[in-house]
Amino acid sequence: MAATWLAPTWLQSSQTVLDRLTLLAHPSGTYNAYRTADSDEQTRIWKNTLAYPAGVAVVSAFVLALQLTARATPVRRILARLSKSDVEGDGTDDIEATGSDGQPLSHVAKLGGPVIYGFKVVRFLSTLTLLGLSIATPILNDRNDDSEYSFDPRWVAFGFIGTYAYVSLLGFASLVTNLHLSRLVTRHLVTVLLVTWIVYVYRDLWPLATFTLQPADASEGSLLWAKVGVLTFAAVIIPLVVPRQYIPVDPKEPSEKVNPEQTASILSMSVFSWLDNIIWKAYKVPHLPYEELPPIADYDRAKHLVARAFPILDPFQAGKRRHVFWSLMTVFRWEYTVLSVLILLRVVATFTSPIGIYQLLQYLETNGEGAVVRPWVWISWLFFGPILGSAAFQYYIFNTTRMLVRCEAIITQLIFDHSLRIRMKAETVDTPAPSRATTAAQTPDNASIAEPDPTEADAGGTSSSGSEDETIVRASTLSATSTTATAVAKKKEPAKKTEEPAPEPKKESTPTGNLIGRINNLVSTDLNNVIDGRDFLFVLLYAPVQAGLSVFFLYSILGWSAFVGMIAMILLFPIPGYIASKIQGVQQEKMKKTDARVQNVTETMSVIRMIKLFGWEPRVTDRLADKREGELLFIRKYKILELINGNVNFVIPIVTMVATFATYTLAAGQVLTASRVFSAMAVFDILRDQLHQLFGYLPPIIQAKVSLDRITDFLNKTELLDEFDEKDAAAAEAVVPPRTVESDVIGIRGASFTWSKDNDGSKTPGTPGPNRRNFTLRIEDEVTFRRGRINLILGPTGSGKTSLLMALLGELHYIPNGPDSYVSLPRAGGIAYAAQESWVQNETIKDNILFGAPYDEERYNKVLEQCALKRDLSLFDAGDLTEVGEKGLTLSGGQKARITLARAVYSKAEILLLDDVLAALDVHTARWIVDKCFKGDLLRGRTVILVTHNVAITSPIADFVVSLGSDGRVASEGTLSKALAKDQTLSREFGDQREELKKSEGEVDAVEPDDEVAPKKGDGKLIVAEEISEGHVSWQALRLYLSSMTGGYTLLFWLGVLVLLGLCEFFNVVETWWLGYWAQQYEDTNPSDVDVAYYLTVYNVMLVTGITLYCSSFVIYLFGVLRASRSIHATLIRSVLSATLRWLDKTPTSRIIARCTQDIQCIDGQLANTLNWLIELTVAMLGKFLAVVTFSPIFIIPGVVISAIGSWCGQIYIKAQLSVKREMSNAKAPVLGHFGAAIAGLTSIRAYGAQEYFRQESYRRIDKYVRAARTFYNLNRWVSIRIEALGSLFASCLAAYLVYGAKTRAANIGFSLNMAVGFSSMILWWIRVLNEFEVNGNSLERIQQYVTIEQEEKPTSDGIPPAYWPASGSLRVEKLSARYSVDGPRVLHEISFEVKSGERVGIVGRTGSGKSSLTLALLRLIITEGKVYYDGIATDSVNLDALRSHITIIPQVPELLSGTLRENLDPFSQYDDAVLNDALRAAGLFSLQSDTEEGRITLDSQISSGGSNLSVGQRQILALARAIVRQSKLLILDEATSAIDYETDEVIQKSLREELGNDVTLLTIAHRLQTIMDADKILVLDAGRIAEFGAPAELLKNEKGMLRALVDESGDKEKLYAMAGSR
């Protein structure tokens, strides 16, 4: 049965043909080469294989004639008339017609240059040689007898001469014609030569590989081999090695530097040798810079990809809506056709080893009896088969990764372009995006795993605009009169909590955040899902075909027994499915626990300074440890289930194999031979791998389908702006024809506007919040704004002020009321827009202000001055070259608002729309902006439309005022006094604001805002670049992990893991040998005497023993992994929480969070897995290698050599791969960063008309990413094909030795080959896993860096204070000095003072006097000298957590945790609700809100992270309540200034005076003198020294005193003297 398939039928048929062509033994030797054994005169020429080349040449000549005719100008004109199209010249004729210097190229250069032309010349000479040899053959064989000629051979000879004459003519034409014709004739030339070569291979080379055949043309002697040699050179070698000519995708824009991929020969492409140069470059330098990477190929450029894909993918260009999957299939149809062919080749190649092993062993079993093919063929088969399969598979991956990168670029740009058309509305129909997705680019702070600071990558600059010849129609390009939209401004309105502006915009409360997050999600999570699911062909094509061939192979050697095995496998299939569902459930629970821990860690690190101030470190550590334990419990369950699943997948093919062999021997009664055993085992291994692959591929494919659905919904269902929504535009025109208005009018008449077209305008606005989506702005009459003047838009929160701006910009859905309705915003002079939610790009401050406009130094400096940015820039070492970071994270809210304003002011736009730009500014800065900017020369004569709540401060500049009512209608328009007269609420607000303006005049240190917020940056970079380890993981980092695993029992742990694993591998090897030994018994004894049950039992016992040993080893390893995960997490958290304040100040929080989240997750997952795989692979490779060496000791040397070469290749590859991966990560972050920033600022981009600028910048960044990504993926192909070739070489050399050099039995040879093939296939995986371990080990490095940071003093038993302490709030300071670092200057100089228990002390001084430093010194947060006694005990003798937990500080802007108010007041559940409510009442919260007020704050009220859903005043009240709950005897208050409204400030001051106990000492860092003039004492600081200390009345008597000077400067001088005198 085996012979019926394994001796292929095509071999038998070839023998029949060759028998008919056996040489005639004619004495004259005339034309013996062309005489057949059958002398029948009826034989036809076409039956002679030598006639085929002539036939192909004739067909080629005919086709070529047609092609040339079609190119003729008259024919093209006729065809053009028929098709009614223009006659176009053949663009390829003129490709590269001129050089870079404009000079015409030579003929040789036009045909590809001297190298390619040289190959063409050599091929032409080869065809002439073949022509000469074909003429010589009949002459030399025709010396004796002419009469014996047969008609057919004579014509065949002439046919050959004609064929070679034809190809010689083609060869000559390829040298002298133009490029297009040369390429055309070369294709015909290669085709004819290749067919001729195949004929000779079939007739004369194939018989040499058989025992039964002879070369058909042997009588030609040396002439034959000369012809075959020249033909092989011309038809095979030259086409394989000749470089390809670079043909630009767009002849008008050829690449300056050509990617080697575009010119590499076929052979070079197959083995990826064109990457050798980059590999060696990377090997020689520590880090390969981006500039050294191969240039991007022009067919990979974003511009070309857009031109290729958008006509199919973009709904606006395609003209129809369909699923993105089918559109992508259309775009990449040719690629997927090639992939299908490659996959089928790979399937066929996987059977080369089983077939080779079967044939070799069968040859040895029968001693060659009846063999047709020689053994060396099968040995070569073992070498070339896997190599060809590998080449096909690597080319498959090459194509998929190329499509992967292109798909990333296309979909990113597609979503970006489509986003430019969508309406940013309050809510979306879809559910919010998954929380696990990131909506920001990977920054240096949140990147992980060998990904360095992406800001090192070039993120700035602009690219040149697209070519004027570009024919892509951009539906999203705006016309000169079109208008645009934004979410940004809309975001803020519903978020207002109080009538007073908060100091920073609140992103958490932005209603469009859902849509922005969703769009960002599409290009991050969803796009990654699509990419991960790219290998669906494996499920649709690879798996079914391979399964079918496997069954066919097994049936051919084992008969119907194979079906029994298949049935067993099918019956066992539900088991892994059931386990997979369990794994999924545990995984979901694990993710919940992980999310809970990550959220807790993230929040902890966000408020780490507060934790240190309150001395909460031990409790926070315990709480995080509890969260960690819950997570580790599910990690353990997950790993155990994974172990069970792995064992089941391992056992199923073995059960199938045992069932098959048992049926074959017991039921069928057949003899089991070594050839059948080992070839079947190889196929069962294939099935096992396929099972693993199938279960691995299905989840990502399903996830990809879901993500493609989401992308499709976004493209087809997201609401668009009116100008892009054809149906809406047509409907509006049908009802109300558009009315043209004067070009310079800014206004609206008779129209309604909604945030969504779902709202028809019939609904009225309700309360701000969820119903906000139904808001309708109604302009019933006409509103026109004054040109060249400052126009104010006023109104209560939620009245539609932002909506009015959005309506003008065209961002809202326009519903005209009648034929005279209009909305007009002239764009000819330019529009500038400053959103309320300040929008900045991740660029320098200067780039953000210029926004692509030309730099004018004088104008620029004026803008900085007028927008109050000069002082801020002076606080940055790099000034205006400081990078603002992702979403402006290095800037305060006020700085962002002023930069947004500066951008609008700097622009040359005639009309400025400013949405509440003063909201994020304090009173001083706001007054400066009004006086210097709004009244300045840069805005003179320009039209300004300003939305504001600060009526009092903007009243002097109001030329025209539009007041809106709470119903979304215009309440009044005209002067400010008219608006105030009509709106009592507005009038009352105006009065309160005037009071606050007066209040602010009494501030002590009123300077530019945010001066302490801006951190210093040496070179303007966002952060100092992290240390990036180059090369291998350091031993210190590795030891941190390995020592944590062992739990102190290092030797015992590793002996347990490695010995058990080694024994398991030993049994695996012996199992394979045992099957061969069983088969051998059929040769040594009578088959009926073989005890099948015995051999099956022993095999099964060994199998169970091996599995048990593996499970034991894995469980020991698993508990080590969990131990390490627990230990490293605890060590990291303790280290960071114990860090000094100085270290925390210079380390971005996001970096710490990345360590505690992403890097810890890597250690839990990828690092643990890769180390496990590395250990298992190493043990398995050693086991298989030792098995080979046991039977063939001589192969220890080749094995070591091949392993060494493989490791060397791997090291070279890893060196290059790490560099390129780093560059790829660096290039990816700016793509996502630019995308995220642009999506967040869509309204601003559309308002400024900057769509094309952003589109071109997106192209530039995508191109940069594609260049690195393509190289990264290609490097994997380079190493893969080389390692697989080494493995195949090892297996085939061993086969050759065993067959020809050693006298070994078939069973042992089969066993050795099985081990060799297994060893060979593992080399590549070992190198890949080692590389992966190196990459993941970077997380260990990053954590190791944070374990060895500056630490505060550790708590000791001696530092525990007495239980009663502190009994009072007395404070005595003696010669206290302080500095921020050991080598830094002193900030406090020997301060001494004493405060009695219960006293209220005010601390005043100008900026930089040391007020904050004194606070930090009292809490020992900075380095101190001298003594501080708190209730009689020196604070330096008390543990830090004990000291800080007995002092409470209330900062200016208190930090709160997300969760309920109860959890904020009592984070560790120490008090009951009654105590907490009493504290809230005492702090004054209840006096600010009525019992019936909707949204009333209670203990169950949810607080968002940082307390961002509360005003600053409310946060200070809660912080005061927390201090009352803590019952601290010492309270330090850093007073908030104008960020708190008048009423709240009064409540806080009253609570401080009346609700604190008599024994509570209060230190107030005062910013306003009226707050502390009634204090018991005042401490005046100056330059870190005490200038004055005493009762206010006493200090005021000193005419030269600092306090007296400060009071005399104040506007409330008399009131302050009165307050001091009342004490």
Side-chain angles (χ1 to χ4, degrees), residues 686-744:
I686 289 171
L687 279 175
R688 178 168 59 208
D689 291 343
Q690 190 189 75
L691 199 64
H692 279 293
Q693 286 182 351
L694 201 59
F695 280 107
Y697 280 127
L698 280 175
I701 289 173
I702 294 168
Q703 191 64 49
K705 196 267 179 191
V706 173
S707 290
L708 281 171
D709 289 344
R710 284 162 53 84
I711 293 172
T712 304
D713 285 348
F714 172 74
L715 293 175
N716 294 337
K717 297 181 181 177
T718 312
E719 185 176 335
L720 305 177
L721 295 178
D722 289 351
E723 65 182 297
F724 297 113
D725 198 320
E726 296 171 4
K727 293 178 183 174
D728 280 6
E733 285 190 24
V735 177
V736 182
R739 179 175 181 271
T740 57
V741 295
E742 294 80 1
S743 61
D744 61 342

Side-chain angles (χ1 to χ4, degrees), residues 615-886:
W616 283 347
E617 295 98 318
R619 288 171 177 166
V620 168
T621 303
D622 292 342
R623 187 163 70 179
L624 288 175
D626 288 341
K627 298 281 184 187
R628 181 65 169 159
E629 282 305 313
E631 182 186 19
L632 290 175
L633 174 67
F634 281 94
I635 289 178
R636 187 177 71 204
K637 287 182 180 178
Y638 181 76
K639 295 284 186 186
I640 294 291
L641 281 172
E642 264 193 338
L643 172 66
I644 295 169
N645 193 46
N647 282 330
V648 168
N649 286 334
F650 174 78
V651 166
I652 286 177
I654 292 177
V655 170
T656 305
M657 183 172 67
V658 170
T660 304
F661 288 160
T663 306
Y664 187 71
T665 52
L666 293 174
Q670 298 292 323
V671 174
L672 200 60
T673 61
S675 58
R676 289 189 171 92
V677 167
F678 290 108
S679 56
M681 282 183 67
V683 173
F684 283 121
D685 280 343
I686 289 171
L687 279 175
R688 178 168 59 208
D689 291 343
Q690 190 189 75
L691 199 64
H692 279 293
Q693 286 182 351
L694 201 59
F695 280 107
Y697 280 127
L698 280 175
I701 289 173
I702 294 168
Q703 191 64 49
K705 196 267 179 191
V706 173
S707 290
L708 281 171
D709 289 344
R710 284 162 53 84
I711 293 172
T712 304
D713 285 348
F714 172 74
L715 293 175
N716 294 337
K717 297 181 181 177
T718 312
E719 185 176 335
L720 305 177
L721 295 178
D722 289 351
E723 65 182 297
F724 297 113
D725 198 320
E726 296 171 4
K727 293 178 183 174
D728 280 6
E733 285 190 24
V735 177
V736 182
R739 179 175 181 271
T740 57
V741 295
E742 294 80 1
S743 61
D744 61 342
V745 171
I746 306 172
I748 302 170
R749 178 192 292 163
S752 299
F753 298 87
T754 61
W755 283 93
S756 167
K757 66 180 180 184
D758 299 339
N759 179 7
D760 59 3
S762 60
K763 301 173 186 175
T764 55
T767 56
N771 298 326
R772 191 64 186 154
R773 184 178 174 191
N774 296 325
F775 177 84
T776 302
L777 174 70
R778 302 175 189 281
I779 308 296
E780 291 166 347
D781 296 320
E782 184 175 22
V783 173
T784 55
F785 295 94
R786 303 290 179 265
R787 293 300 299 263
R789 300 299 180 89
I790 293 179
N791 303 264
L792 298 191
I793 301 176
L794 308 177
T797 299
S799 61
K801 299 181 296 298
T802 294
S803 299
L804 182 53
L805 288 188
M806 294 299 99
L808 287 170
L809 285 169
E811 297 287 331
L812 299 192
H813 180 48
Y814 170 52
I815 307 169
N817 294 347
D820 58 346
S821 298
Y822 73 85
V823 54
S824 172
L825 181 67
R827 287 181 173 268
I831 303 292
Y833 169 68
Q836 179 186 23
E837 180 91 15
S838 304
W839 175 69
V840 290
Q841 296 174 267
N842 188 4
E843 306 286 352
T844 64
I845 293 173
K846 184 175 183 178
D847 287 340
N848 268 288
I849 294 173
L850 296 181
F851 202 56
Y855 177 64
D856 178 339
E857 185 175 1
E858 183 184 356
R859 183 181 183 86
Y860 180 74
N861 287 327
K862 275 188 181 179
V863 168
L864 294 182
E865 175 70 24
Q866 294 181 12
C867 293
L869 285 167
K870 287 271 188 184
R871 180 179 177 83
D872 296 275
L873 296 183
S874 70
L875 296 170
F876 291 96
D877 286 352
D880 61 359
L881 297 180
T882 302
E883 290 184 359
V884 303
E886 191 71 40

